[in-house]
Amino acid sequence: MAEYSPMMQHYLETKEQYKDAILFYRLGDFYEMFFDDALTASKELEITLTGKDCGQKERAPMCGVPSHALDMYVAKLIQKGYKVAICEQLEDPKQTKGIVKRDVIRVVTPGTLIESNLLDEKKNNYIMSIFKRGLFFGIAICDVSTGEFYATKITQNNNFERLLDEISRFSPAEIITNDLMYSSIEEINKIKERFGIFISKGEEEAFKEEANDIISNYEIIDETQNKIEKLEEELFILSAINGLLEYLNKTQKIKLKHLNKIQIYTTNKYMALDINARRNLEITEKMRDKTKKGTLLWVLDKTSTSMGGRHLRRWLNDPLIDIQEINKRLFAVKELKDSIILRGDIIEALKKVYDIERLIGKISYGNANGRDMISLKNSVKELPKIKQILSKVASPLLKQLYEELDELKDIYEIIDRAIIEEPPISVKEGGLIKIGYNEEIDKLKLAGSKRKKLVSRVRS
Protein backbone atom coordinates (compact mmCIF):
# COMPACT_ATOMS: atom_id res chain seq x y z
CA MET A 1 0.00 0.00 0.00
CA ALA A 2 1.36 3.41 -1.02
CA GLU A 3 2.29 5.90 1.67
CA TYR A 4 0.32 9.05 2.25
CA SER A 5 1.83 12.29 1.00
CA PRO A 6 3.89 14.22 3.60
CA MET A 7 1.16 16.85 3.98
CA MET A 8 -1.51 14.21 4.49
CA GLN A 9 0.68 12.34 6.99
CA HIS A 10 0.90 15.50 9.08
CA TYR A 11 -2.85 16.00 8.77
CA LEU A 12 -3.51 12.45 10.01
CA GLU A 13 -1.06 12.85 12.92
CA THR A 14 -2.80 16.06 13.96
CA LYS A 15 -6.25 14.52 13.56
CA GLU A 16 -5.23 11.62 15.81
CA GLN A 17 -4.80 14.12 18.66
CA TYR A 18 -8.27 15.64 18.12
CA LYS A 19 -10.48 12.68 17.31
CA ASP A 20 -13.60 14.25 18.82
CA ALA A 21 -13.34 17.49 16.79
CA ILE A 22 -13.70 18.47 13.14
CA LEU A 23 -10.21 19.56 12.07
CA PHE A 24 -9.97 22.77 10.04
CA TYR A 25 -6.55 22.41 8.36
CA ARG A 26 -5.11 25.62 6.89
CA LEU A 27 -3.89 25.35 3.30
CA GLY A 28 -3.22 28.76 1.79
CA ASP A 29 -6.35 30.87 1.80
CA PHE A 30 -8.62 27.98 2.81
CA TYR A 31 -9.28 25.69 5.74
CA GLU A 32 -9.65 22.17 4.38
CA MET A 33 -11.28 19.08 5.89
CA PHE A 34 -10.59 15.51 4.80
CA PHE A 35 -12.04 12.00 5.09
CA ASP A 36 -14.88 11.63 7.64
CA ASP A 37 -14.58 15.28 8.68
CA ALA A 38 -15.13 16.32 5.07
CA LEU A 39 -18.17 14.07 4.75
CA THR A 40 -19.66 15.52 7.94
CA ALA A 41 -18.80 19.16 7.24
CA SER A 42 -19.97 19.12 3.62
CA LYS A 43 -23.37 17.85 4.77
CA GLU A 44 -23.76 20.14 7.80
CA LEU A 45 -22.41 23.27 6.08
CA GLU A 46 -23.97 22.49 2.70
CA ILE A 47 -20.68 22.94 0.82
CA THR A 48 -19.29 20.99 -2.11
CA LEU A 49 -17.51 17.70 -1.44
CA THR A 50 -14.50 17.12 -3.69
CA GLY A 51 -11.37 14.98 -3.48
CA LYS A 52 -7.60 15.37 -3.11
CA ASP A 53 -4.67 13.23 -4.20
CA CYS A 54 -3.03 11.97 -1.05
CA GLY A 55 -0.60 9.28 -2.23
CA GLN A 56 -3.26 6.53 -2.26
CA LYS A 57 -5.16 4.90 -5.14
CA GLU A 58 -8.35 6.71 -4.16
CA ARG A 59 -8.60 10.44 -3.65
CA ALA A 60 -9.32 11.60 -0.10
CA PRO A 61 -12.79 13.17 0.40
CA MET A 62 -12.22 16.89 0.86
CA CYS A 63 -14.14 20.13 1.38
CA GLY A 64 -13.02 23.59 2.37
CA VAL A 65 -14.04 27.07 3.46
CA PRO A 66 -12.29 30.41 2.80
CA SER A 67 -10.18 31.66 5.69
CA HIS A 68 -11.94 35.04 5.81
CA ALA A 69 -15.27 33.27 6.52
CA LEU A 70 -13.91 30.99 9.25
CA ASP A 71 -16.06 32.37 12.11
CA MET A 72 -19.30 31.91 10.18
CA TYR A 73 -18.67 28.26 9.35
CA VAL A 74 -17.30 27.41 12.80
CA ALA A 75 -20.41 28.98 14.37
CA LYS A 76 -22.70 26.78 12.24
CA LEU A 77 -20.92 23.62 13.36
CA ILE A 78 -20.89 24.69 17.02
CA GLN A 79 -24.64 25.36 16.87
CA LYS A 80 -25.09 21.80 15.59
CA GLY A 81 -23.15 20.39 18.56
CA TYR A 82 -19.68 19.82 17.09
CA LYS A 83 -16.22 20.76 18.31
CA VAL A 84 -13.83 22.42 15.85
CA ALA A 85 -10.03 22.23 16.05
CA ILE A 86 -8.32 25.05 14.10
CA CYS A 87 -4.95 24.05 12.68
CA GLU A 88 -3.10 27.17 11.55
CA GLN A 89 0.01 27.83 9.45
CA LEU A 90 2.77 28.94 11.82
CA GLU A 91 5.17 30.00 9.05
CA ASP A 92 4.94 32.14 5.94
CA PRO A 93 4.64 29.69 2.99
CA LYS A 94 6.55 32.12 0.75
CA GLN A 95 9.58 31.98 3.03
CA THR A 96 9.50 28.24 3.79
CA LYS A 97 11.01 25.35 1.89
CA GLY A 98 9.13 22.07 2.11
CA ILE A 99 6.09 21.56 4.32
CA VAL A 100 4.83 24.61 6.18
CA LYS A 101 4.80 24.16 9.96
CA ARG A 102 1.25 23.86 11.28
CA ASP A 103 -0.37 23.21 14.64
CA VAL A 104 -3.72 23.49 16.36
CA ILE A 105 -4.01 26.92 17.96
CA ARG A 106 -7.46 26.50 19.50
CA VAL A 107 -10.32 24.05 19.91
CA VAL A 108 -13.68 25.81 19.68
CA THR A 109 -16.51 24.19 21.63
CA PRO A 110 -20.05 25.33 22.52
CA GLY A 111 -18.90 26.47 25.97
CA THR A 112 -15.70 28.26 24.92
CA LEU A 113 -16.99 30.74 22.35
CA ILE A 114 -15.66 34.28 22.84
CA GLU A 115 -16.59 35.95 19.55
CA SER A 116 -19.15 38.67 20.31
CA ASN A 117 -20.93 38.18 16.98
CA LEU A 118 -21.57 34.53 17.88
CA LEU A 119 -22.96 35.19 21.37
CA ASP A 120 -26.14 36.66 22.80
CA GLU A 121 -24.90 39.96 24.23
CA LYS A 122 -27.25 39.83 27.23
CA LYS A 123 -26.80 36.14 28.05
CA ASN A 124 -23.82 34.35 29.58
CA ASN A 125 -22.24 31.47 27.70
CA TYR A 126 -21.36 29.05 30.49
CA ILE A 127 -19.36 25.85 30.47
CA MET A 128 -19.88 23.51 33.45
CA SER A 129 -17.69 20.81 34.94
CA ILE A 130 -19.34 18.05 37.01
CA PHE A 131 -17.30 15.79 39.28
CA LYS A 132 -19.05 12.81 40.82
CA ARG A 133 -17.89 10.56 43.62
CA GLY A 134 -20.35 8.21 45.27
CA LEU A 135 -23.65 10.09 45.54
CA PHE A 136 -22.09 13.56 45.81
CA PHE A 137 -21.12 16.18 43.22
CA GLY A 138 -18.66 19.02 42.76
CA ILE A 139 -19.55 21.71 40.21
CA ALA A 140 -17.50 24.43 38.52
CA ILE A 141 -18.99 26.94 36.08
CA CYS A 142 -17.21 29.48 33.89
CA ASP A 143 -18.06 32.04 31.21
CA VAL A 144 -14.82 32.29 29.25
CA SER A 145 -16.01 35.41 27.40
CA THR A 146 -16.49 37.43 30.61
CA GLY A 147 -14.13 35.76 33.10
CA GLU A 148 -16.84 34.77 35.61
CA PHE A 149 -16.03 31.58 37.53
CA TYR A 150 -18.17 29.86 40.18
CA ALA A 151 -17.96 26.58 42.08
CA THR A 152 -19.98 24.65 44.65
CA LYS A 153 -20.65 21.18 45.99
CA ILE A 154 -23.82 19.15 46.42
CA THR A 155 -23.64 16.83 49.42
CA GLN A 156 -27.21 17.01 50.76
CA ASN A 157 -30.26 14.83 50.12
CA ASN A 158 -31.79 14.47 46.64
CA ASN A 159 -28.37 15.20 45.18
CA PHE A 160 -29.15 14.51 41.52
CA GLU A 161 -32.30 16.63 41.64
CA ARG A 162 -30.24 19.48 43.13
CA LEU A 163 -27.70 18.99 40.34
CA LEU A 164 -30.48 19.36 37.77
CA ASP A 165 -31.56 22.56 39.53
CA GLU A 166 -28.03 24.00 39.18
CA ILE A 167 -27.87 23.03 35.51
CA SER A 168 -31.24 24.75 35.03
CA ARG A 169 -29.99 27.88 36.84
CA PHE A 170 -26.90 28.35 34.69
CA SER A 171 -28.16 26.76 31.46
CA PRO A 172 -24.61 25.94 30.28
CA ALA A 173 -23.82 25.49 26.61
CA GLU A 174 -21.47 22.61 27.40
CA ILE A 175 -20.77 20.15 30.21
CA ILE A 176 -17.65 18.10 30.88
CA THR A 177 -17.59 15.30 33.43
CA ASN A 178 -15.30 12.81 35.12
CA ASP A 179 -15.49 9.09 34.28
CA LEU A 180 -17.98 8.12 36.99
CA MET A 181 -20.44 10.85 36.01
CA TYR A 182 -20.12 10.10 32.30
CA SER A 183 -20.69 6.39 32.89
CA SER A 184 -23.84 7.10 34.92
CA ILE A 185 -25.91 6.52 31.79
CA GLU A 186 -29.32 7.09 33.35
CA GLU A 187 -28.30 10.45 34.83
CA ILE A 188 -26.52 11.60 31.66
CA ASN A 189 -29.54 10.67 29.53
CA LYS A 190 -31.84 12.65 31.83
CA ILE A 191 -29.61 15.72 31.48
CA LYS A 192 -29.52 15.38 27.69
CA GLU A 193 -33.26 14.80 27.52
CA ARG A 194 -34.15 17.80 29.69
CA PHE A 195 -31.58 20.31 28.51
CA GLY A 196 -30.14 19.17 25.18
CA ILE A 197 -26.64 20.20 26.30
CA PHE A 198 -23.39 19.11 24.62
CA ILE A 199 -21.70 16.70 27.10
CA SER A 200 -18.21 15.23 26.88
CA LYS A 201 -15.86 13.32 29.16
CA GLY A 202 -12.78 15.08 30.47
CA GLU A 203 -9.51 13.39 31.33
CA GLU A 204 -9.92 11.62 34.67
CA GLU A 205 -6.51 12.68 35.97
CA ALA A 206 -7.48 16.33 35.45
CA PHE A 207 -10.13 16.10 38.22
CA LYS A 208 -7.50 16.16 40.95
CA GLU A 209 -7.78 17.34 44.55
CA GLU A 210 -4.79 19.68 44.24
CA ALA A 211 -5.28 23.10 45.89
CA ASN A 212 -1.88 24.82 45.68
CA ASP A 213 -2.06 25.96 42.04
CA ILE A 214 -5.60 27.28 42.49
CA ILE A 215 -4.74 29.18 45.68
CA SER A 216 -1.56 30.62 44.09
CA ASN A 217 -3.12 31.75 40.80
CA TYR A 218 -6.69 32.72 41.70
CA GLU A 219 -8.49 34.90 44.21
CA ILE A 220 -10.88 32.56 46.02
CA ILE A 221 -13.89 34.35 47.53
CA ASP A 222 -17.33 33.58 48.92
CA GLU A 223 -20.65 35.22 48.03
CA THR A 224 -19.88 38.22 50.25
CA GLN A 225 -16.52 38.80 48.49
CA ASN A 226 -14.55 37.61 51.53
CA LYS A 227 -11.47 35.48 51.02
CA ILE A 228 -12.04 31.77 51.62
CA GLU A 229 -9.68 29.93 53.95
CA LYS A 230 -9.02 26.18 53.99
CA LEU A 231 -9.98 25.57 50.36
CA GLU A 232 -7.84 22.42 50.50
CA GLU A 233 -10.59 20.79 52.57
CA GLU A 234 -13.20 21.23 49.80
CA LEU A 235 -12.24 18.14 47.80
CA PHE A 236 -15.34 18.00 45.58
CA ILE A 237 -15.00 21.66 44.66
CA LEU A 238 -11.26 21.32 43.98
CA SER A 239 -11.81 18.35 41.66
CA ALA A 240 -14.47 20.18 39.65
CA ILE A 241 -12.36 23.37 39.36
CA ASN A 242 -9.21 21.49 38.31
CA GLY A 243 -11.14 19.46 35.74
CA LEU A 244 -12.58 22.60 34.17
CA LEU A 245 -9.31 24.54 34.19
CA GLU A 246 -7.44 21.66 32.55
CA TYR A 247 -10.10 21.41 29.84
CA LEU A 248 -9.90 25.16 29.15
CA ASN A 249 -6.09 25.07 29.01
CA LYS A 250 -6.15 22.11 26.64
CA THR A 251 -8.70 23.59 24.25
CA GLN A 252 -7.74 27.29 24.31
CA LYS A 253 -3.95 26.80 24.19
CA ILE A 254 -3.22 30.07 26.04
CA LYS A 255 -3.10 31.37 29.59
CA LEU A 256 -6.52 32.90 30.23
CA LYS A 257 -5.33 35.79 32.39
CA HIS A 258 -8.80 37.30 32.80
CA LEU A 259 -9.83 34.18 34.75
CA ASN A 260 -8.37 35.31 38.05
CA LYS A 261 -11.21 35.06 40.57
CA ILE A 262 -13.31 32.05 41.63
CA GLN A 263 -16.42 32.50 43.73
CA ILE A 264 -17.44 29.58 45.93
CA TYR A 265 -21.18 29.66 46.58
CA THR A 266 -23.68 27.59 48.53
CA THR A 267 -26.78 26.24 46.83
CA ASN A 268 -29.02 27.05 49.81
CA LYS A 269 -28.55 30.82 49.38
CA TYR A 270 -30.98 30.85 46.47
CA MET A 271 -34.50 29.54 46.01
CA ALA A 272 -34.42 26.09 44.41
CA LEU A 273 -36.36 26.13 41.13
CA ASP A 274 -36.36 22.98 39.04
CA ILE A 275 -36.52 23.04 35.26
CA ASN A 276 -40.31 22.58 35.20
CA ALA A 277 -40.88 25.55 37.53
CA ARG A 278 -38.56 27.76 35.48
CA ARG A 279 -40.24 26.69 32.26
CA ASN A 280 -43.77 27.25 33.56
CA LEU A 281 -42.90 30.62 35.10
CA GLU A 282 -41.33 31.72 31.77
CA ILE A 283 -38.67 33.71 33.59
CA THR A 284 -36.14 34.04 30.75
CA GLU A 285 -37.64 32.08 27.84
CA LYS A 286 -41.08 31.15 26.54
CA MET A 287 -42.22 27.58 27.11
CA ARG A 288 -43.45 27.21 23.55
CA ASP A 289 -40.58 28.51 21.41
CA LYS A 290 -37.78 29.37 23.92
CA THR A 291 -37.75 33.03 22.82
CA LYS A 292 -37.28 35.98 25.19
CA LYS A 293 -40.27 38.06 24.07
CA GLY A 294 -43.16 37.81 26.51
CA THR A 295 -41.07 36.53 29.44
CA LEU A 296 -40.49 38.18 32.81
CA LEU A 297 -36.98 39.13 31.67
CA TRP A 298 -38.40 40.76 28.51
CA VAL A 299 -40.77 42.87 30.62
CA LEU A 300 -38.11 43.99 33.12
CA ASP A 301 -35.01 44.32 30.96
CA LYS A 302 -34.49 48.03 30.32
CA THR A 303 -30.76 47.78 30.97
CA SER A 304 -28.41 50.15 29.12
CA THR A 305 -25.47 47.73 28.83
CA SER A 306 -24.92 44.09 27.90
CA MET A 307 -23.30 43.56 31.30
CA GLY A 308 -26.42 44.86 33.01
CA GLY A 309 -28.61 42.59 30.92
CA ARG A 310 -26.60 39.53 31.93
CA HIS A 311 -26.63 40.62 35.58
CA LEU A 312 -30.40 41.07 35.59
CA ARG A 313 -30.81 37.61 34.04
CA ARG A 314 -28.72 36.12 36.86
CA TRP A 315 -30.79 37.94 39.51
CA LEU A 316 -34.01 36.55 38.05
CA ASN A 317 -32.58 33.05 37.75
CA ASP A 318 -31.28 33.16 41.34
CA PRO A 319 -34.11 34.35 43.62
CA LEU A 320 -32.73 35.31 47.05
CA ILE A 321 -34.14 33.78 50.24
CA ASP A 322 -32.13 35.77 52.79
CA ILE A 323 -34.38 38.62 54.06
CA GLN A 324 -31.47 40.98 54.74
CA GLU A 325 -30.10 40.49 51.22
CA ILE A 326 -33.56 40.96 49.71
CA ASN A 327 -34.14 44.20 51.63
CA LYS A 328 -30.68 45.47 50.74
CA ARG A 329 -31.51 45.06 47.06
CA LEU A 330 -35.01 46.53 47.48
CA PHE A 331 -33.67 49.68 49.19
CA ALA A 332 -31.33 50.27 46.24
CA VAL A 333 -34.16 49.78 43.73
CA LYS A 334 -36.42 52.13 45.73
CA GLU A 335 -33.79 54.87 45.79
CA LEU A 336 -33.32 54.64 42.03
CA LYS A 337 -37.10 54.56 41.50
CA ASP A 338 -37.76 57.59 43.69
CA SER A 339 -34.90 59.73 42.38
CA ILE A 340 -35.60 60.56 38.75
CA ILE A 341 -32.46 62.70 38.42
CA LEU A 342 -30.17 60.03 39.91
CA ARG A 343 -31.67 57.34 37.70
CA GLY A 344 -31.53 59.50 34.58
CA ASP A 345 -27.89 60.49 35.14
CA ILE A 346 -26.84 56.85 35.59
CA ILE A 347 -28.74 55.74 32.48
CA GLU A 348 -27.14 58.45 30.33
CA ALA A 349 -23.63 57.57 31.55
CA LEU A 350 -24.14 53.83 31.04
CA LYS A 351 -25.36 54.31 27.48
CA LYS A 352 -21.78 55.20 26.56
CA VAL A 353 -20.31 52.06 28.16
CA TYR A 354 -19.48 49.08 25.94
CA ASP A 355 -19.25 45.44 27.07
CA ILE A 356 -16.12 45.81 29.22
CA GLU A 357 -16.22 42.19 30.42
CA ARG A 358 -16.10 40.70 26.93
CA LEU A 359 -13.64 43.31 25.67
CA ILE A 360 -11.25 42.20 28.43
CA GLY A 361 -11.85 38.59 27.40
CA LYS A 362 -10.85 39.40 23.80
CA ILE A 363 -7.73 41.23 25.00
CA SER A 364 -6.78 38.23 27.15
CA TYR A 365 -7.14 35.96 24.12
CA GLY A 366 -4.94 38.27 22.07
CA ASN A 367 -7.52 38.80 19.31
CA ALA A 368 -8.63 42.34 20.18
CA ASN A 369 -8.07 45.02 17.55
CA GLY A 370 -7.48 48.76 17.78
CA ARG A 371 -11.18 49.56 17.71
CA ASP A 372 -11.75 47.26 20.68
CA MET A 373 -9.15 49.22 22.59
CA ILE A 374 -10.84 52.53 21.76
CA SER A 375 -14.19 51.05 22.86
CA LEU A 376 -12.57 50.08 26.16
CA LYS A 377 -11.06 53.56 26.54
CA ASN A 378 -14.37 55.28 25.86
CA SER A 379 -16.10 53.01 28.37
CA VAL A 380 -13.51 53.59 31.08
CA LYS A 381 -13.80 57.32 30.42
CA GLU A 382 -17.34 57.19 31.86
CA LEU A 383 -16.36 55.53 35.16
CA PRO A 384 -15.30 58.68 37.05
CA LYS A 385 -18.60 60.30 36.01
CA ILE A 386 -20.57 57.27 37.24
CA LYS A 387 -18.66 57.27 40.53
CA GLN A 388 -19.39 60.97 41.00
CA ILE A 389 -23.10 60.33 40.41
CA LEU A 390 -23.06 57.58 43.05
CA SER A 391 -21.20 59.68 45.61
CA LYS A 392 -24.40 60.97 47.28
CA VAL A 393 -26.48 57.78 47.36
CA ALA A 394 -28.00 56.58 50.64
CA SER A 395 -28.87 52.89 50.23
CA PRO A 396 -26.21 50.41 51.47
CA LEU A 397 -25.96 48.48 48.17
CA LEU A 398 -25.42 51.58 46.04
CA LYS A 399 -22.93 52.90 48.61
CA GLN A 400 -21.04 49.62 48.35
CA LEU A 401 -20.96 49.95 44.56
CA TYR A 402 -19.61 53.48 44.92
CA GLU A 403 -16.83 52.41 47.29
CA GLU A 404 -15.78 49.41 45.17
CA LEU A 405 -15.90 51.12 41.76
CA ASP A 406 -12.39 51.39 40.31
CA GLU A 407 -12.13 54.31 37.88
CA LEU A 408 -9.32 52.54 35.93
CA LYS A 409 -7.59 55.85 35.19
CA ASP A 410 -4.31 54.06 34.46
CA ILE A 411 -5.97 51.94 31.76
CA TYR A 412 -7.52 55.02 30.17
CA GLU A 413 -4.20 56.89 30.13
CA ILE A 414 -2.26 54.00 28.57
CA ILE A 415 -4.75 53.53 25.72
CA ASP A 416 -5.14 57.30 25.22
CA ARG A 417 -1.37 57.72 24.87
CA ALA A 418 -0.87 54.66 22.69
CA ILE A 419 -3.76 54.16 20.23
CA ILE A 420 -4.96 56.58 17.53
CA GLU A 421 -8.61 57.65 17.70
CA GLU A 422 -9.71 55.90 14.48
CA PRO A 423 -7.57 52.77 14.13
CA PRO A 424 -7.96 50.28 11.23
CA ILE A 425 -10.02 47.14 11.81
CA SER A 426 -7.08 44.74 11.40
CA VAL A 427 -3.91 45.06 13.47
CA LYS A 428 -2.01 43.73 10.42
CA GLU A 429 -2.69 47.00 8.60
CA GLY A 430 -0.46 48.87 11.06
CA GLY A 431 -0.81 52.54 11.90
CA LEU A 432 -2.31 51.86 15.35
CA ILE A 433 0.25 53.55 17.57
CA LYS A 434 0.39 57.29 18.11
CA ILE A 435 3.54 59.27 17.36
CA GLY A 436 5.34 60.01 20.63
CA TYR A 437 4.25 56.89 22.50
CA ASN A 438 7.45 54.92 21.89
CA GLU A 439 10.76 56.25 20.57
CA GLU A 440 11.75 53.04 18.81
CA ILE A 441 8.38 52.77 17.04
CA ASP A 442 8.69 56.42 15.97
CA LYS A 443 12.10 55.67 14.36
CA LEU A 444 10.69 52.67 12.48
CA LYS A 445 7.71 54.72 11.27
CA LEU A 446 10.01 57.49 10.05
CA ALA A 447 12.27 55.01 8.26
CA GLY A 448 9.26 53.35 6.62
CA SER A 449 7.90 56.72 5.51
CA LYS A 450 11.26 57.71 3.95
CA ARG A 451 11.47 54.34 2.16
CA LYS A 452 7.99 54.80 0.66
CA LYS A 453 8.88 58.31 -0.57
CA LEU A 454 12.12 57.02 -2.13
CA VAL A 455 10.32 54.19 -3.96
CA SER A 456 7.68 56.66 -5.16
CA ARG A 457 10.37 58.98 -6.60
CA VAL A 458 12.16 56.10 -8.38
CA ARG A 459 8.91 54.90 -9.99
CA SER A 460 7.98 58.39 -11.12
Side-chain angles (χ1 to χ4, degrees):
M1 182 177 178
E3 288 188 358
Y4 284 105
S5 63
M7 185 282 291
M8 191 57 70
Q9 286 180 22
H10 182 263
Y11 168 84
L12 292 170
E13 290 170 2
T14 306
K15 176 62 184 175
E16 184 67 20
Q17 300 174 51
Y18 300 93
K19 294 179 180 179
D20 62 342
I22 294 178
L23 181 61
F24 275 47
Y25 194 80
R26 183 71 178 263
L27 290 173
D29 293 331
F30 283 79
Y31 289 96
E32 307 287 3
M33 289 143 278
F34 301 99
F35 302 108
D36 289 343
D37 281 358
L39 297 174
T40 300
S42 63
K43 178 182 177 182
E44 298 289 6
L45 299 176
E46 299 180 351
I47 56 179
T48 304
L49 182 68
T50 61
K52 182 177 179 64
D53 293 329
C54 58
Q56 304 293 300
K57 289 183 179 180
E58 295 185 3
R59 287 159 61 85
M62 180 185 83
C63 68
V65 300
S67 58
H68 65 81
L70 174 67
D71 286 352
M72 179 182 72
Y73 287 106
V74 169
K76 286 183 178 180
L77 290 173
I78 295 300
Q79 289 169 0
K80 292 175 181 287
Y82 295 96
K83 293 182 180 180
V84 176
I86 301 172
C87 185
E88 191 57 82
Q89 293 174 169
L90 304 181
E91 299 174 320
D92 185 347
K94 296 178 182 178
Q95 300 179 4
T96 304
K97 293 182 179 180
I99 297 177
V100 176
K101 185 178 180 181
R102 297 179 177 87
D103 201 0
V104 171
I105 60 168
R106 184 182 169 203
V107 180
V108 187
T109 71
T112 59
L113 284 173
I114 60 163
E115 291 77 9
S116 300
N117 58 318
L118 304 181
L119 297 171
D120 184 334
E121 65 176 12
K122 290 194 172 184
K123 182 179 180 181
N124 285 98
N125 189 59
Y126 289 118
I127 179 170
M128 176 181 282
S129 141
I130 302 175
F131 171 78
K132 181 180 181 182
R133 179 186 293 156
L135 299 176
F136 300 151
F137 301 96
I139 306 172
I141 312 100
C142 178
D143 183 342
V144 180
S145 70
T146 65
E148 296 166 62
F149 205 126
Y150 308 98
T152 191
K153 63 181 178 182
I154 301 176
T155 55
Q156 304 95 342
N157 296 327
N158 302 318
N159 293 318
F160 183 63
E161 294 303 318
R162 289 177 179 269
L163 174 64
L164 293 178
D165 291 346
E166 291 308 294
I167 296 174
S168 183
R169 277 184 61 216
F170 287 97
S171 189
E174 180 179 1
I175 291 175
I176 61 165
T177 75
N178 68 327
D179 288 346
L180 180 58
M181 183 65 205
Y182 198 78
S183 61
S184 301
I185 304 300
E186 184 177 348
E187 293 179 342
I188 290 293
N189 286 340
K190 282 185 179 179
I191 294 173
K192 289 181 177 178
E193 178 186 338
R194 295 192 185 190
F195 302 101
I197 297 172
F198 183 86
I199 303 176
S200 60
K201 183 174 67 172
E203 297 177 357
E204 184 64 20
E205 57 271 22
F207 292 85
K208 55 190 177 183
E209 298 174 348
E210 172 62 43
N212 290 335
D213 287 346
I214 297 174
I215 294 171
S216 299
N217 296 310
Y218 300 88
E219 181 184 358
I220 313 299
I221 59 172
D222 61 18
E223 294 146 312
T224 59
Q225 306 299 307
N226 292 320
K227 185 176 179 181
I228 286 186
E229 306 292 342
K230 299 182 179 179
L231 182 66
E232 57 275 7
E233 297 177 4
E234 300 289 354
L235 302 183
F236 284 90
I237 290 175
L238 285 172
S239 295
I241 291 174
N242 281 316
L244 182 51
L245 288 174
E246 179 61 29
Y247 182 81
L248 293 177
N249 290 334
K250 182 179 178 182
T251 56
Q252 304 311 290
K253 305 287 185 177
I254 60 170
K255 174 67 175 175
L256 300 174
K257 295 180 181 178
H258 67 305
L259 301 184
N260 50 35
K261 181 187 295 184
I262 301 176
Q263 182 181 109
I264 311 300
Y265 72 96
T266 55
T267 56
N268 58 10
K269 180 177 180 179
Y270 306 103
M271 184 184 297
L273 295 175
D274 62 26
I275 183 173
N276 293 323
R278 292 180 187 276
R279 186 177 295 160
N280 291 325
L281 290 170
E282 296 188 329
I283 299 172
T284 59
E285 63 181 32
K286 293 287 290 294
M287 189 190 315
R288 185 179 60 192
D289 55 11
K290 295 187 178 296
T291 59
K292 178 181 174 182
K293 187 175 182 180
T295 64
L296 177 62
L297 178 62
W298 178 77
V299 172
L300 295 178
D301 190 0
K302 302 295 186 292
T303 52
S304 299
T305 69
S306 302
M307 297 176 288
R310 292 194 295 269
H311 199 79
L312 177 61
R313 179 185 286 266
R314 287 196 298 274
W315 273 14
L316 294 178
N317 272 324
D318 306 338
L320 294 170
I321 57 177
D322 184 289
I323 294 177
Q324 288 185 335
E325 290 295 316
I326 293 171
N327 285 331
K328 188 177 178 182
R329 189 178 293 177
L330 286 175
F331 292 150
V333 172
K334 184 178 186 300
E335 182 173 7
L336 290 169
K337 172 183 170 294
D338 292 343
S339 179
I340 297 175
I341 296 176
L342 172 64
R343 186 172 71 251
D345 288 345
I346 292 175
I347 289 172
E348 283 305 309
L350 289 175
K351 283 180 179 178
K352 301 173 186 177
V353 175
Y354 293 82
D355 196 337
I356 295 176
E357 290 176 335
R358 284 184 170 162
L359 284 172
I360 292 171
K362 290 181 72 175
I363 294 169
S364 177
Y365 265 84
N367 61 0
N369 58 33
R371 296 187 182 183
D372 291 325
M373 302 304 292
I374 294 300
S375 294
L376 179 59
K377 184 188 84 168
N378 291 337
S379 299
V380 170
K381 183 180 179 180
E382 297 300 314
L383 297 184
K385 187 186 300 182
I386 294 171
K387 185 150 188 173
Q388 176 61 34
I389 294 168
L390 292 173
S391 63
K392 297 179 181 179
V393 295
S395 58
L397 181 55
L398 293 181
K399 277 187 175 181
Q400 182 182 343
L401 292 176
Y402 165 75
E403 291 167 358
E404 295 177 353
L405 181 60
D406 187 341
E407 297 179 11
L408 302 178
K409 290 182 179 179
D410 53 338
I411 301 296
Y412 175 86
E413 290 171 1
I414 289 173
I415 299 175
D416 188 51
R417 286 191 292 110
I419 309 296
I420 64 174
E421 287 302 317
E422 296 184 6
I425 294 176
S426 173
V427 295
K428 294 180 181 179
E429 295 179 37
L432 293 173
I433 307 300
K434 285 182 177 179
I435 296 294
Y437 175 70
N438 181 281
E439 186 177 346
E440 184 64 26
I441 293 176
D442 289 349
K443 289 180 181 178
L444 293 173
K445 278 189 173 186
L446 181 61
S449 178
K450 289 180 178 179
R451 191 178 295 112
K452 285 180 181 179
K453 288 180 181 178
L454 181 61
V455 171
S456 178
R457 289 175 183 172
V458 171
R459 286 180 177 175
S460 61

